[in-house]
Amino acid sequence: MPEVKRIGVLTGGGDSPGINAALRAIVRRAHAAGVEVIGFRDGWKGPIKGEGGPLTLEDVSGILYLGGTILGTSRTNPFEKKERNGETVWEPTEKVEAIKGNLKKQKIDALIAIGGDDTLGVAHRLREHGVKAVGIPQTIDNDIGGTDYAIGFHSALATVTDALDKLHTTAHAHHRVLIVEVMGRDSGWIAVYGGLAGGADVIIVPEGPPEGSFSVDEVEEVIRRRLKQDKRFSIVVVAEGARPRELGGKQVASGEVDAFGHVRLGGVGYWLADELKKRNLPLTPRVTVLAYLQRGGIATPFDRLLATRFGVKAVELALEGVYDVLTGLRGTEVEAVPLAQALAECPKPVDQELLRVAKAIDIG
Ligand code: F6P
C-alpha cells in the first residue's frame, strides 16, 4: 500500500453548517499522522484550475461552530451529461485531465470530497481516471444514501423549528394561514422533521404518487377542520419540491439549470397561497420562504459532532487505503459505505415512519 503523505480536500455543492467542523477534524487528524493537507478552492473548480494551498492547524483554528466553508464552494462538474439509448451517461470533459494533472503536480495521494450527491458522484466517477477519493456527505436536504444523516441537516432543522415557533405567534394573533416553504429539493426530510418539531398543522413533502404529492383540497380540508375546532390559524409547511396534483408537477423558480442538470425550485408556497385565496376561507394566507437562511448560521452540536467524526474517519480511511467510499452514519456507528451503493440510493426518500407519526397525531 503506497504511503499517504498529502491529502487534498474540497467542498462542493450547496453549503451547510458543519462543513468547517469537518475541515478542522481532517486537518487535525492528518496532522497527528504527519500528513499534509491541501485545501482546494470552490469545489471541483479548485483541482480543475489548480487553485488551492496548504490547510494548516492555524487555518482551521476557531472554525468549529462556523457555517459556510472556508474553502468556498461551487456546483462545478468536470463531466458532461449525455443521453444514450434512453440512459444518462456522464462523459469526461477536458476538465478531468486538468484535475489529474493538478493532483499530480500538487503530489496529492488521496482526496477527500465533502458534498452532496453531485459532488460525491464526481468523486466516484473519477475513480475510473485513477483518482483515489473518500466522500463526506453534507447537505441540508439529507437525501444522500448510505448514511442516516448528512452534515448540515440538523442545523437546517434548528432554523426551520425556530422559524415555526416564531410564526406560530403571529399566525395565532392575526388568524392567518401561514405557509412556510422549505428547501430539500426532491426530498421531504426538512419538511417532515421541521414540521413535526415546529408543530405544523399540515406537512407537504415531494414524495408520493406520480400524479402529485398533495392537492389543495386536502390542505383546505385540514384548515376547515381546525376552524370547526375553533383553531383560527394554521401553519402549513411545504417542501419546495412538493408536487400539487392540480399543477401536475413541481413549481420551478426559473428555467435555470445547474451543471448537474438540476432545475432551480421554488414558488410552490406562493402558488398554494393563491389557490387557497380562491377558496374563500375566513383566514388570510401569507407565505414565508425560508430559502438560504436554512443553509446559514452556526452548526448545531449534533452537526459539529457528526462532522468531526466524519472528518476523522475520512482521513483514517485514506491512511488505510480505502477509497471510493463515503463516511456514513449507521445507527451510532460511522462506517465506510461504497459510493456506488450510496449514490444508487439517491435521492434517499423521506422516512415513511415519520410521515406515519405525523398522521398519527392528526397532522395533515
Ligand atoms: O442542495 C441544497 C439546496 O439548498 C436545495 O435544498 C436547493 O434546492 C438548492 O440547494 C438550491 O441551490 P442553489 O444554491 O444553487 O440555489
Side-chain angles (χ1 to χ4, degrees), residues 14 75 139-141 183-185 190 240 258 264-265 292 295:
R75 297 192 190 274
T139 167
I140 63 164
D141 301 348
M183 280 186 165
R185 202 157 260 159
I190 301 176
E240 61 177 2
D258 70 17
R264 205 148 72 77
L265 296 174
Y292 299 95
R295 296 213 313 230

Side-chain angles (χ1 to χ4, degrees), residues 53-297:
L55 209 52
T56 64
L57 285 176
E58 243 168 55
D59 294 326
V60 296
S61 168
I63 66 167
L64 174 62
Y65 70 99
L66 204 62
T69 159
I70 59 165
L71 290 179
T73 184
S74 72
R75 297 192 190 274
T76 306
N77 188 358
F79 293 85
E80 211 175 325
K81 196 178 185 178
K82 293 265 167 72
E83 297 296 328
R84 202 165 296 139
N85 306 325
E87 253 183 61
T88 302
V89 289
W90 293 96
E91 276 188 359
T93 66
E94 71 291 345
K95 291 172 187 160
V96 169
E97 281 311 306
I99 291 175
K100 283 165 65 180
N102 283 318
L103 293 184
K104 199 168 170 200
K105 209 191 292 173
Q106 294 259 32
K107 296 193 171 72
I108 303 292
D109 303 306
L111 193 60
I112 297 177
I114 307 177
D117 57 339
D118 296 330
T119 305
L120 302 183
V122 171
H124 176 56
R125 266 165 241 133
L126 282 173
R127 181 202 165 99
E128 281 174 28
H129 301 270
V131 176
K132 296 171 178 169
V134 176
I136 294 183
Q138 79 76 17
T139 167
I140 63 164
D141 301 348
N142 200 39
D143 59 351
I144 307 174
T147 185
D148 294 346
Y149 295 113
I151 296 172
F153 171 63
H154 274 84
S155 302
L157 188 58
T159 298
V160 173
T161 307
D162 179 52
L164 291 179
D165 288 348
K166 287 175 176 151
L167 290 169
H168 257 93
T169 52
T170 178
H172 188 265
H174 283 265
H175 316 299
R176 281 175 171 159
V177 176
L178 276 184
I179 299 166
V180 186
E181 184 180 304
V182 298
M183 280 186 165
R185 202 157 260 159
D186 294 317
S187 297
W189 290 93
I190 301 176
V192 74
Y193 271 65
L196 272 173
D201 306 301
V202 181
I203 299 173
I204 307 172
V205 297
E207 290 87 350
E211 62 273 18
S213 65
F214 78 103
S215 79
V216 184
D217 289 347
E218 289 161 353
V219 180
E220 183 188 356
E221 198 190 301
V222 177
I223 297 167
R224 291 206 186 274
R225 194 172 70 220
R226 284 175 50 78
L227 278 165
K228 279 194 194 130
Q229 297 161 353
D230 216 19
K231 304 248 172 80
R232 293 199 298 138
F233 75 95
S234 279
I235 304 275
V236 179
V237 170
V238 60
E240 61 177 2
R243 296 170 294 114
R245 278 203 273 284
E246 293 85 348
L247 204 62
K250 295 180 269 197
Q251 184 80 23
V252 296
S254 66
E256 236 176 277
V257 174
D258 70 17
F260 292 88
H262 304 297
V263 67
R264 205 148 72 77
L265 296 174
V268 67
Y270 284 103
W271 180 88
L272 179 59
D274 286 343
E275 290 302 312
L276 286 175
K277 273 182 204 149
K278 296 178 195 162
R279 308 283 171 127
N280 293 320
L281 287 158
L283 311 175
T284 315
R286 288 278 199 268
V287 183
T288 302
V289 180
L290 291 181
Y292 299 95
L293 285 174
Q294 294 159 97
R295 296 213 313 230

